[in-house]
């Protein structure tokens, strides 16, 4: 690692603007200086855009909390190493800090006790013990991004008077409501897709021969969400709004799941004629974007007391776009990601015949001969046919197409965030975008 001042780095970047093996990553502190200009009172988005220009491959700068430095670190690295480093840097910057994750986990035993207190159902002790197993296996082992997003949003949106220890704890419980809801979706989804691995462990329905009895476990998880909401938020002004947003988002997600299953012909040979970009966009919107992006932020807004319809509309518009970005990344990582990092096997979408971004773009670009290969091989368990599809993806140039898409979408979302005009803090959405950009899991 070498150190250069900003002017020296800019000269080097101008000299080698397309050098793929040199990635210039700017690390800046909030109380530092940017090209001689004070940034103490400067909007961070302005600094971010300014430093963006210093990066050879478009990689953006990240400010940290270390002592002030007027230097830029120059890393000589490969693109893969840079992705992993970017992911690590992002993980330690905002909502997924170790401290907040620990605080979330500190609340988890209380959540389990709330859901399994059998004082009113003393004759259901066996069921209570089983529910504990269901909860512990399926809920806390994920990255908890949705819960952490909600807590972060609450901290940003709440007034100083609202930022009490009790309210922060309630925000964490509300975050766990989303994680429990997600566990319900995943348990059912894995059964329908006949998936094998989830979060580096066997899917719940495959654990100790549970089988289709896991459907009932999923339904218990869904209802646990509303039990928590009733226990902790009943009587508060936000209670009805929270109940409604959880119910509406659950219904939208289930409809998205149904559209996904219809697209895969319920696990039979998929009809590739159905795999259009419009259909893909609808699946992503309903199956992923609402519960992963819209729900955490709108729930935080309701808990804070924000009910302005226009503020909710603007937030939802941006968050649905981010959800789409997230799912395209997921589709790419399913095929090209590191299985140990993403927590599941590669090319599951090819094997299951999913309507993914990669297959939709491939079908748009495929020659008649390539189309025949896809018709024959897509949706097959045969390892050789899976390899043929991936080779075709490479021949069509999908990795490069994805790289361009990711860069252009990041820039477009940045622009849309700057256009939010109804009092919502831009930094809230910029932080989400930073976490998504060039993620590896």
């Amino acid at each position: 690692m070498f150190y250069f001042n900003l002017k020296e780095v800019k000269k080097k970047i101008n000299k080698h603007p397309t050098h793929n093996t040199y990635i210039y990553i700017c690390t800046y502190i909030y109380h530092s200086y940017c090209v001689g200009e004070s940034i103490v009172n400067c909007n961070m988005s302005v600094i971010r855009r300014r430093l963006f220009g210093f990066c050879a491959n478009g990689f953006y700068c990240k400010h940290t909390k270390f002592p002030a430095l007027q230097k830029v670190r120059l890393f000589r690295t490969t693109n893969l190493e840079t992705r992993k480093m970017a992911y690590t840097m992002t993980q330690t910057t905002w909502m997924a800090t170790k401290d907040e994750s620990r605080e979330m986990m500190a609340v988890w035993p209380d959540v389990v006790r709330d859901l399994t207190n059998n004082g009113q159902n003393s004759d259901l002790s066996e069921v209570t013990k089983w529910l504990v197993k269901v909860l512990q296996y399926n809920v806390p082992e994920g990255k908890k991004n949705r819960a952490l997003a909600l807590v972060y949003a609450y901290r940003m949106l709440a007034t100083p008077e609202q930022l009490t220890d009790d309210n922060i704890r309630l925000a964490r419980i509300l975050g766990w409501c989303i994680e429990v809801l997600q566990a319900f979706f995943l348990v059912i989804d894995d059964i329908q897709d006949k998936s094998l691995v989830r979060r580096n462990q066997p899917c719940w329905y495959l654990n100790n021969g549970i089988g289709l009895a896991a459907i009932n476990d999923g339904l218990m998880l869904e209802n646990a969400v509303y039990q928590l909401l009733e226990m902790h938020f009943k009587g508060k002004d936000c209670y009805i709004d929270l109940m409604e947003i959880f119910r509406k988002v659950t219904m939208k997600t289930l409809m998205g799941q149904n559209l996904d299953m219809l697209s895969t012909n319920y696990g039979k040979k998929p009809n590739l004629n159905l795999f259009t970009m419009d259909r893909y966009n609808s699946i992503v919107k309903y199956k992923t974007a609402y519960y992963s992006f819209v729900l955490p932020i709108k729930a935080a807004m309701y808990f804070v007391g924000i009910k302005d319809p226009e503020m909710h509309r603007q937030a939802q518009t941006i968050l649905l776009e981010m959800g789409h970005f997230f799912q395209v990344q997921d589709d790419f990582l399913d095929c090209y990601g590191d299985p140990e990092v993403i927590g599941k096997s590669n090319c599951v979408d090819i094997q299951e015949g999913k309507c993914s971004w990669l297959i939709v773009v491939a079908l748009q670009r495929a020659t008649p001969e390539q189309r025949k290969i896809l018709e024959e091989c897509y949706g097959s368990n045969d390892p050789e046919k899976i390899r043929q599809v991936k080779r075709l993806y490479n021949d069509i140039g999908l990795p490069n197409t994805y790289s361009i898409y990711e860069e252009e979408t990041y820039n477009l979302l940045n622009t849309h965030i700057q256009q939010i005009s109804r009092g919502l803090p831009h930094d809230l959405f910029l932080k989400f975008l930073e976490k998504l950009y060039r993620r590896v899991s």
Side-chain angles (χ1 to χ4, degrees), residues 178-226:
I178 299 180
E179 295 300 316
V180 173
L181 182 66
Q182 185 194 24
F184 155 60
F185 291 143
L186 297 183
V187 166
I188 301 301
D189 184 72
D190 288 341
I191 296 171
Q192 291 175 318
D193 291 343
K194 300 180 177 65
S195 300
L196 302 177
V197 178
R198 173 72 65 181
R199 296 169 176 169
N200 289 318
Q201 60 184 3
C203 296
W204 175 245
Y205 79 99
L206 295 175
N207 185 45
N208 293 324
I210 293 171
L212 295 181
I215 295 173
N216 192 70
D217 298 336
L219 294 173
M220 285 198 295
L221 289 170
E222 181 191 17
N223 282 275
V225 173
Y226 299 99

Side-chain angles (χ1 to χ4, degrees), residues 85-147:
M85 180 172 58
Y87 174 74
T88 301
M89 291 170 67
T90 305
Q91 287 294 308
T92 59
T93 55
W94 62 290
M95 69 181 182
T97 62
K98 291 181 180 179
D99 286 345
E100 185 54 52
S101 292
R102 281 196 295 266
E103 294 293 341
M104 284 292 304
M105 287 307 301
V107 176
W108 174 243
D110 295 336
V111 171
V112 175
R113 276 193 294 271
D114 288 342
L115 294 173
T116 57
N117 185 341
N118 61 1
Q120 296 180 342
N121 300 292
S122 58
D123 54 339
L124 294 176
S125 59
E126 287 183 82
V127 176
T128 298
K129 291 177 182 177
W130 182 256
L131 180 56
V132 171
K133 292 181 180 179
V134 174
L135 289 165
Q136 296 289 15
Y137 193 94
N138 292 288
V139 181
E141 297 303 318
K143 296 188 288 291
K144 297 179 282 294
N145 283 340
R146 292 157 187 84

